Amino acid sequence: MGLRVTINGEECSLDRSVSVDVLLTQLGLEPAKIAVERNLEIVPRSKYRDVTVVEGDRLEIVHFIGGGM
Amino acid sequence: MTDLHLDPKPLTIAGRTYRSRLIIGTGKYKSYEENARALEVSGAEIVTVAVRRVNLTDPHQPKLVDFIDPKKVTYLPNTAGCFTGEDAIRTLRLAREAGGWSLVKLEVLGDRKTLYPDMLETLRAAEMLIADSFQVMVYCNDDPMMAKRLENLGAVAIMPLAAPIGSGLGIQSPVNIRLIIEEAKVPVIVDAGIGTASDAAIAMELGCDAVISNTGIAEAKDPVLMASAMRHAVEAGRLAYLAGRMAKKRYADPSSPLAGLI
């Protein structure tokens, strides 16, 4: 069964429930350089393997970019 | 850094010491390469950075961390673009997770046209962040009473604007900036409005502990050259402040003795 989630404001469908760790790999992102928020709560990097993305989740995946004030 | 042995104390923010009193931004540069070159020439040891969504359609775009090493340079995450305390706190919690450090720069803006800080929201957000163990440097207006309130809350640096963000108008209220410096026991860092080297020198001569420049460097015709100019201006202004300027006089005062004149 597929599931629908929102990542960075975009609706996406996933084939199955996966851990945050697996999702980041699928998206081609290096865990060391980013931060993840799931349903307004930070997912600590140490929990990426334990936290499973489920139907309806809203994820924000951010990193540092150039910016001033 | 040849002149800096004359500066008796380094800049200390939240217990960390820095030899450079110039902080530069990482926005508006043509490329991260140019930004990295400007950083090298500026001698800055702290850069401000933004927190934004990763680009999921092209995750292999150039990344700031590949050009400016966060192990060698202090990344100072800031909340540019946040208009509520909640947005700012959410952004900085993500920044702390992404970077692994708690020194941050809070700014809560009140208006898109002026990018002037909303001080009531800023105070509220600062209090919540400090309660959540952040070390908070705070962008603020140039009101000495607001600066004192922020310091009393536990801000680790007070960062009054010289002029609106990105305007390059220079120090518009030297009297207020000086009043803030006289009362503050934490570093005062002029943030926003520095347009060219002389603006930075004036800020430092007033007794500021440091200066931030982003647009002033990034939008110069030659940003790398301007980074060097800002570095020298900050050093010159700091040394002039420490040296103590001569008194201003209304009339001329000859530099050569009058005795023995033929």
Side-chain angles (χ1 to χ4, degrees):
Chain A
M1 268 297 284
L3 63 154
R4 299 196 69 75
V5 295
T6 306
I7 305 176
N8 288 356
E10 305 268 331
E11 277 212 15
C12 321
S13 54
L14 304 177
D15 297 338
R16 57 188 174 85
S17 272
V18 289
S19 64
V20 171
D21 197 40
V22 170
L23 176 68
L24 295 177
T25 307
Q26 285 175 1
L27 293 170
L29 298 171
E30 279 181 64
K33 294 177 179 175
I34 57 164
V36 179
E37 188 194 71
R38 175 172 167 260
N39 303 327
L40 298 175
E41 273 187 38
I42 302 265
V43 182
R45 199 165 290 153
S46 57
K47 297 270 170 35
Y48 286 176
R49 282 169 188 215
D50 308 326
V51 173
T52 305
V53 179
V54 298
E55 172 76 26
D57 272 358
R58 300 182 69 84
L59 298 165
E60 291 288 343
I61 307 174
V62 302
H63 63 161
F64 291 125
I65 65 153
M69 293 93 99
Chain B
M1 294 282 157
T2 50
D3 286 336
L4 284 187
H5 65 280
L6 295 169
D7 185 345
K9 2 179 245 195
L11 171 65
T12 303
I13 303 171
R16 265 162 285 198
T17 60
Y18 300 94
R19 283 166 301 141
S20 170
R21 291 177 179 273
L22 174 61
I23 298 172
I24 74 166
T26 54
K28 299 182 178 173
Y29 286 90
K30 283 185 204 78
S31 63
Y32 284 147
E33 285 96 333
E34 183 182 68
N35 197 169
R37 283 208 314 282
L39 172 65
E40 194 182 339
V41 166
S42 75
E45 295 160 294
I46 304 175
V47 293
T48 58
V49 298
V51 178
R52 293 290 182 270
R53 287 171 167 169
V54 298
N55 184 337
L56 294 172
T57 51
D58 183 9
H60 300 294
Q61 279 184 336
K63 288 182 185 62
L64 182 64
V65 290
D66 296 331
F67 293 86
I68 297 175
D69 185 352
K71 291 194 187 71
K72 293 183 183 151
V73 178
T74 298
Y75 268 37
L76 182 62
N78 81 80
T79 58
C82 289
F83 285 81
T84 66
E86 277 69 21
D87 282 350
I89 290 164
R90 192 177 166 205
T91 301
L92 291 178
R93 284 186 176 143
L94 282 165
R96 180 166 61 181
E97 183 60 27
W101 53 84
S102 56
L103 182 69
V104 295
K105 184 189 148 196
L106 172 68
E107 59 178 77
V108 185
L109 305 173
D111 173 57
R112 285 184 197 280
K113 186 173 171 186
T114 61
L115 298 181
Y116 213 72
D118 179 332
M119 287 311 299
L120 295 184
E121 278 291 284
T122 300
L123 286 162
R124 197 170 66 82
E127 198 167 9
M128 286 191 276
L129 286 165
I130 291 161
D132 194 8
S133 308
F134 281 92
Q135 294 169 312
V136 192
M137 300 167 70
V138 190
Y139 169 64
C140 56
N141 63 3
D142 58 11
D143 176 344
M145 296 304 121
M146 283 296 171
K148 187 46 75 181
R149 278 176 187 263
L150 286 169
E151 185 176 339
N152 292 343
L153 281 178
V156 298
I158 307 295
M159 308 174 84
L161 49 76
I165 291 172
S167 69
L169 290 170
I171 313 280
Q172 294 296 300
S173 304
V175 174
N176 286 13
I177 300 286
R178 186 177 52 76
L179 289 173
I180 291 171
I181 293 164
E182 280 179 11
E183 293 301 317
K185 290 181 184 63
V186 295
V188 176
I189 301 171
V190 160
D191 182 1
I194 299 294
T196 187
S198 55
D199 296 335
I202 289 168
M204 295 307 293
E205 285 177 5
L206 284 170
C208 286
D209 294 281
V211 160
I212 291 196
S213 173
N214 184 4
T215 312
I217 297 174
E219 287 191 357
K221 301 277 188 298
D222 184 336
V224 177
L225 205 54
M226 186 57 89
S228 177
M230 289 291 186
R231 173 190 190 152
H232 288 101
V234 167
E235 290 177 10
R238 176 67 183 170
L239 294 179
Y241 168 72
L242 293 173
R245 63 154 296 145
M246 61 165 281
K248 289 185 182 179
K249 296 164 196 171
R250 286 169 69 95
Y251 300 104
D253 181 6
S255 300
S256 304
L258 294 175
L261 198 65
I262 54 164

